[in-house]
Structures are given as C-alpha cells and as structure tokens.
C-alpha cells in the first residue's frame, strides 16, 4: 500500500500529464492516417524521451500506444481504410454503419469500447500482474503453437459464405508469410535472388495494399460521378447510443476484454488476433448474428475492447519477465533500459514506486484518451464530407508515403501496389481478403513455435498434448472448429431454402 500511495504521488506531476496528452494526440493522428503506424510514431518520437524521466517518458509512449490502438478505427469507420491491422475487424461493421448516416454513433461506440478495454487491462495490470504472469510463465513452445492454431481457426469464421474460399485465402496468407529467411535455419525461401525479399513482406506494407489501395481501385470502377460522393445526412437521434444499446454491447465488451487480456499476456500474439477472435466470439453469442458485417454495434464494441485490452496486458510479461508482448512494447523496453530500469522479477523490488506510478498512469491515459477522443471525433467525422475527387488522391499519397517511410525503399511501394492488385482480384473472384491478413499475421509465429516444439520432442507430435494447458487448448480448438463448421452448414441450408426454384 505504501508503494501504491508513493507511486500515486509521483504520477501527479504536471509534466507527466502534459507528456501523456501529447503522446495521445500524436498516437491518435498516426493511428488514424492509413500508412502511418503506431510503431512508426513511437520510433520517430523515442529520441525525445531521452531527456525525460522514467515516468514522464513512459506516459508519453503509453499515450501513443493506447491512442494509436483506438485511432486505427477512425479511418476504418470513415473511409473503409483501417489505420492499423487490428482495426480491420472494426471496419466490417463500422463502415456500413457510417454509410447509413450513423458515423458519430460508430465513432463514439469505438471510443467508449476502446476506453473500457484499456481501463480493464490497466486494472488487470495493476492488481493481477504477478499472478497472471506466473501462469503465462508455465506456457512453453507447444502451448504457444496451440494458441496460434486457435487463432487460425478464426479464418473459418471470417470466410464469408464459402468456407473453401476462406481457407484458400488463409493458406495464401500463410504462404506469403514464408517468403524470406527461414526462422530456424536462416536459409532463403522463395526470394528469387531478390535481396529486398530477405526479410519477407512487412505487415504494414501488405495492409496498405490489401485494404487502402485496393479500396481506391474498387472505387474507380463505381458508377457514381467522381466529384459527387453520396454524403450521408446524419440524424441526431439516430446517432445517439441508447441505454438499450449500451446494455446490448455490455456482455460482448466484457468478454472481449477478457479475451484481449489473455491474448495480450502471451508474447507475440498481438491485438490483431484479439480483435478477430473477439469478433468471431461476439457473432456466435449474439442474438442477432445476421447484423454482423452490416453495421452491428456489438461487432464494433467487441473488436475495440479487445484490441485496447491488449495494451495493458502486453506490459505484464514485459515488466515481470522482461519479455515484450509486441513490437510497440519492445520499443518501450528500450525506454526503460535508458532510464536504468531493467525489466524482470527484480524490477518491482528495486523500483516498486516507479512501477506503480506507471501502472496507475495507464488508467489515466485511457481516461484522457476518452476526453481527447470526444473532442477529436467532431473533427475526424468531417472527413466523410470530403469529395472523392479530393479524398482519393490524399489517401493514395499517404499510402505511398507510409509505405516508403517503413524502410525508405521504392520496392515497398511496388509491393503495396502488387498487394492492391491481389486484393482487387480476390474480391472479383469472391475470395475474402481478411483470411489473407490473418495468415500473414499468424504465419511466422505459428511456424516458428511448431518447428521448435517438434525439435524439442525429436519429431514426436505427442508434445502438443503433454500438459494440462495443451489439452485444454486442444479442446478449445476442436470445439471452436465444430461450432464454426456447424454454423456454416446451417447458413448454407438456409441459403438453399431461400433460392427461388
């Protein structure tokens, strides 16, 4: 309790709150603009933290991290271009809701859900970090693989009407993820003597092509005139979230927060898996699953609470074990080291006051994100009123700038264009694009943990059922597959019944 009180006192310095709010503003902007990622934001502004104290610098970085997770939903809802990979699931319902003239409702639901998920994970970090990290420490390579395998089962859940097409698209994503250096032997795979492919395809570049530039291609084929985008007149009554709607999203938001925390604790999984797993779970629990993909508030609430619940959870293995949960937190690890804080079991013993100040600060980061989001939503919502003739070139410029800024290479711009054409062709052939993204995200960590587990067991597959945690995960995987396949069969039967003879 003494550490808690002293940490609270150290947090309440004006410099900490100024740094926190500047970080929130920057993170929201970088997250909302397609092509400008949270990682890029943190990397660009990390040098500014060198002259700051430990708490001040971490508040600055946490502001970018949390606001960036929410910011990706803004462009996903407004222009069907997710600013971050995990905002792709938000786009599925946010954009259709915006098309119905309920832009503010979608943005406010995303903001409220993001705040709830962020505060939920901050409370878990504050009170349950030692216990939860102890459980995560028991998980070995086989368990990590099974968690990734469970994530891959979501491909079936987001495959649209044709399960086969979704599996093929997911397999394509997994294949693309193998291009580059073999993670175990460092041998080259499918690079065709091109030095630019040694490190494979960057996820940000793929995202820009698959969703941003492909949307530009799709718009170019539409029949409406280029200066006359259909502006959706907003009804103030329709844009208010009613108490009944809040009650409806409460359950999926709470369960999605739990999913986000659990996935965030496991290093290397990330917010993308959390958002898609939560979306799939919310759809199966919903009394109105037919609304998903057409503007469901439950879908928005589930994805946004999940991907923001990851933020605090990723700090648990970082602060207690010294293992960064994702790329953003790995960069924050450098900020800790610069201030003489070495993550690990002794961190809470040697710097307990600072750690409690940081964990308490995460709660205030999310509260200030709510305040800033309420104000900034009015500004971002005006994007939808920009004519296509103006908006499309701006999107293309930011996409190219974002693709080029990752490695300052023209090759990445070419890659983005190739992925745009790929997504355009997949849409024409009625293959879903989201399974490709899931394959890209989960492919590398799935392969690495699978092969490492088989090396440890001398090729015996029994290692994947050698512990109670493994058996529990296998049961969850098979149950998930059974429910998804049964649901697809029932959907196909309903479609056949409605086909006119």
């Amino acid at each position: 309790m003494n550490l808690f009180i002293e940490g609270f006192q150290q947090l309440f310095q004006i410099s900490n709150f100024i740094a926190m709010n500047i970080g929130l503003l920057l993170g929201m902007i970088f997250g909302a603009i397609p092509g400008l990622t949270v990682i890029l934001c943190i990397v660009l502004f990390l040098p500014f933290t060198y002259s700051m104290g430990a708490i001040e610098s971490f508040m600055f970085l946490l502001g970018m991290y949390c606001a960036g997770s929410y910011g990706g939903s803004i462009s996903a809802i407004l222009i069907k271009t997710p600013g971050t990979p995990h905002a792709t699931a938000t786009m599925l319902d946010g954009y259709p809701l915006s098309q119905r003239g309920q832009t503010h409702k979608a943005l406010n639901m995303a903001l409220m859900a993001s705040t709830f998920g962020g505060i939920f994970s901050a409370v878990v970090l504050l009170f349950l970090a030692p216990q939860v990290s102890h459980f995560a420490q028991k998980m070995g390579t086989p368990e990590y693989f099974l968690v990734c395998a469970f994530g891959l089962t979501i491909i079936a859940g987001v495959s649209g009407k044709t399960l086969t097409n979704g599996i093929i698209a997911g397999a394509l994503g997994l294949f693309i993820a193998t291009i580059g250096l073999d993670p175990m032997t460092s041998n080259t795979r499918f690079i065709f003597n091109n030095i630019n492919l040694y490190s494979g395809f960057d996820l940000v570049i793929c995202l820009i092509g698959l969703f941003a530039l492909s949307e530009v291609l799709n718009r170019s084929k539409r029949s409406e005139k280029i200066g006359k985008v259909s502006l959706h007149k907003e009804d103030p009554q329709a844009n208010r979230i009613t108490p009944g709607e809040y009650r409806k999203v409460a359950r999926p938001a709470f369960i999605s927060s739990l999913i986000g925390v659990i996935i965030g604790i496991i290093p290397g999984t990330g917010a993308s898996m959390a958002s898609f797993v939560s979306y799939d779970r919310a759809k199966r629990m919903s009394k109105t699953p037919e609304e998903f993909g057409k503007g469901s508030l439950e879908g928005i609430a589930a994805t946004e609470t999940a991907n923001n619940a990851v933020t605090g959870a990723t700090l648990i293995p970082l602060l207690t074990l010294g293992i960064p949960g994702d790329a953003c937190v790995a960069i924050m690890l450098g900020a800790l080291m610069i201030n003489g804080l070495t993550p690990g079991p002794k961190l809470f013993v040697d710097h307990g006051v600072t750690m409690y100040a940081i964990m308490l600060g995460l709660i205030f980061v999310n509260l200030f994100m709510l305040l800033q989001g309420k104000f900034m939503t009015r500004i971002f919502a005006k994007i939808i009123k920009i004519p296509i003739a103006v908006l499309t070139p701006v999107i293309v410029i930011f996409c190219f700038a974002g693709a080029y800024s990752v490695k300052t290479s023209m090759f990445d711009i070419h890659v983005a264009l190739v992925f745009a054409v790929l997504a355009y062709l997949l849409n024409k052939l009625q293959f879903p694009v989201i399974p490709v993204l899931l394959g890209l995200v989960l492919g590398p960590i799935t392969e690495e943990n699978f092969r490492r587990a088989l090396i440890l067991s001398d090729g015996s597959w029994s290692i994947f059922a050698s512990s109670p945690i493994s058996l529990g995960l296998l049961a969850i995987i098979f149950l998930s597959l059974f429910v998804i396949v049964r649901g697809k069969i029932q959907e196909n039967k309903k479609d056949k019944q409605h086909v006119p003879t």
Side-chain angles (χ1 to χ4, degrees):
M1 184 56 68
N2 289 333
L3 291 175
F4 186 93
I5 295 171
E6 289 181 34
F8 198 82
Q9 291 172 343
Q10 284 203 12
L11 173 66
F12 267 79
Q13 305 291 330
I14 188 66
S15 59
N16 293 335
F17 286 93
I18 291 174
M20 180 191 303
N21 280 279
I22 293 174
L24 283 167
L25 179 61
L26 291 171
M28 206 172 295
I29 293 171
F30 271 71
I33 298 175
L36 301 182
T37 65
V38 186
I39 296 175
L40 177 62
C41 181
I42 293 175
V43 170
L44 285 176
F45 292 97
L46 184 62
F48 288 89
T49 65
Y50 295 168
S51 58
M52 300 179 183
I55 300 173
E56 186 181 356
S57 63
F58 225 69
M59 290 302 99
F60 182 60
L61 296 173
L62 283 177
M64 295 182 199
Y65 185 36
C66 294
S69 295
Y70 157 68
S73 66
I74 296 172
S75 55
I77 291 170
L78 293 175
I79 55 177
K80 201 182 178 182
T81 306
T84 53
H86 48 262
T88 307
T90 306
M91 176 186 69
L92 298 178
D93 286 291
Y95 184 68
L97 202 61
S98 178
Q99 286 183 307
R100 296 210 303 258
Q102 297 178 349
T103 303
H104 278 83
K105 175 180 278 191
L107 289 172
N108 283 326
M109 178 54 70
L111 177 61
M112 297 296 291
S114 297
T115 304
F116 177 78
I119 293 176
F120 186 93
S121 69
V123 172
V124 171
L125 172 66
L126 183 61
F127 293 104
L128 299 178
Q131 293 84 349
V132 178
S133 64
H134 180 68
F135 174 78
Q137 194 175 11
K138 294 180 180 179
M139 295 181 64
T141 300
E143 288 79 11
Y144 283 143
F145 164 72
L146 291 173
V147 170
C148 296
F150 173 66
L152 288 173
T153 64
I154 307 304
I155 289 176
V158 293
S159 296
K161 294 183 178 180
T162 308
L163 182 60
T164 305
N165 286 4
I167 293 173
I168 292 173
L172 177 62
L174 289 171
F175 167 72
I176 295 172
T178 64
I179 295 173
L181 293 177
D182 187 302
M184 307 301 292
T185 64
S186 295
N187 293 328
T188 57
R189 301 186 299 192
F190 311 113
I191 67 167
F192 304 104
N193 295 323
N194 189 328
I195 194 172
N196 294 294
L197 293 177
Y198 267 68
S199 57
F201 294 114
D202 190 280
L203 181 60
V204 175
I205 309 299
C206 299
L207 177 70
I208 290 171
L210 287 173
F211 294 99
L213 292 176
S214 65
E215 176 63 17
V216 173
L217 290 175
N218 288 327
R219 283 179 178 177
S220 67
K221 299 295 290 183
R222 291 176 187 169
S223 58
E224 63 260 24
K225 293 182 180 180
I226 189 142
K228 298 192 175 183
V229 58
S230 55
L231 300 178
H232 312 296
K233 293 182 179 180
E234 296 193 5
D235 179 6
Q237 293 295 332
N239 271 278
R240 291 176 183 171
I241 303 175
T242 65
E245 288 172 330
Y246 275 120
R247 288 193 294 270
K248 186 178 181 181
V249 303
R251 187 185 175 201
F254 178 75
I255 293 175
S256 297
S257 296
L258 289 174
I259 293 172
V261 166
I262 293 169
I263 290 179
I265 291 167
I266 303 169
T269 49
S272 295
M273 181 192 291
S275 61
F276 281 109
V277 170
S278 299
Y279 184 83
D280 184 69
R281 172 57 56 186
K283 183 178 180 180
R284 281 188 271 163
M285 286 186 352
S286 175
K287 295 179 180 178
T288 55
E290 67 279 358
E291 294 181 3
F292 279 69
K294 300 176 183 177
S296 170
L297 286 177
E298 290 178 274
I300 297 174
T303 58
E304 285 302 304
T305 49
N307 61 46
N308 282 269
V310 168
T311 55
T314 54
L315 296 177
I316 294 175
L318 174 73
L319 299 179
T320 57
L321 303 173
I323 302 172
D326 62 13
C328 291
V329 176
I331 299 169
M332 293 184 199
L333 175 62
L336 281 175
M337 304 285 284
I338 290 168
N339 285 281
L341 305 176
T342 304
K346 292 185 178 181
L347 185 60
F348 283 82
V349 177
D350 299 335
H351 305 280
V353 175
T354 302
M355 288 302 100
Y356 272 97
I358 289 173
M359 291 187 294
L360 283 167
L362 184 59
I363 297 176
F364 285 94
V365 164
N366 285 281
L367 290 174
F368 277 102
M369 182 179 74
L370 176 63
L371 296 177
Q372 280 202 30
K374 283 288 185 182
F375 173 75
M376 295 296 291
T377 293
R378 300 174 185 175
I379 298 173
F380 283 119
K382 294 179 181 178
I383 294 176
I384 201 166
K385 297 181 180 179
I386 301 175
I388 287 180
V390 176
L391 185 59
T392 300
V394 171
I395 293 174
V396 173
I397 290 170
F398 273 114
C399 289
F400 284 160
Y404 181 77
S405 66
V406 174
K407 298 177 185 175
T408 62
S409 171
M410 285 297 296
F411 178 79
D412 287 337
I413 294 179
H414 299 152
V415 170
L417 288 170
V418 169
F419 273 89
V421 174
L422 174 64
Y424 180 77
L425 294 175
L426 288 173
N427 284 324
K428 287 294 181 183
L429 297 172
Q430 297 184 341
F431 283 88
V433 177
I434 294 175
V436 179
L437 174 63
L438 286 173
L440 285 169
V441 172
L442 298 176
I445 54 176
T446 304
E447 179 194 5
E448 186 174 350
N449 285 293
F450 174 70
R451 293 173 64 183
R452 188 179 295 166
L454 289 180
I455 290 172
L456 291 172
S457 65
D458 292 327
S460 174
W461 287 59
S462 62
I463 193 173
F464 298 115
S466 59
S467 69
I469 297 176
S470 297
L471 292 172
L473 290 170
L474 282 171
I476 293 172
I477 290 171
F478 286 119
L479 178 63
S480 176
L481 286 173
F482 172 75
V483 172
I484 291 172
V485 172
R486 188 182 66 175
K488 291 294 180 183
I489 293 173
Q490 290 176 348
E491 285 181 15
N492 291 334
K493 286 182 179 179
K494 289 181 181 179
D495 291 340
K496 288 180 180 179
Q497 289 175 358
H498 288 88
V499 173
T501 56

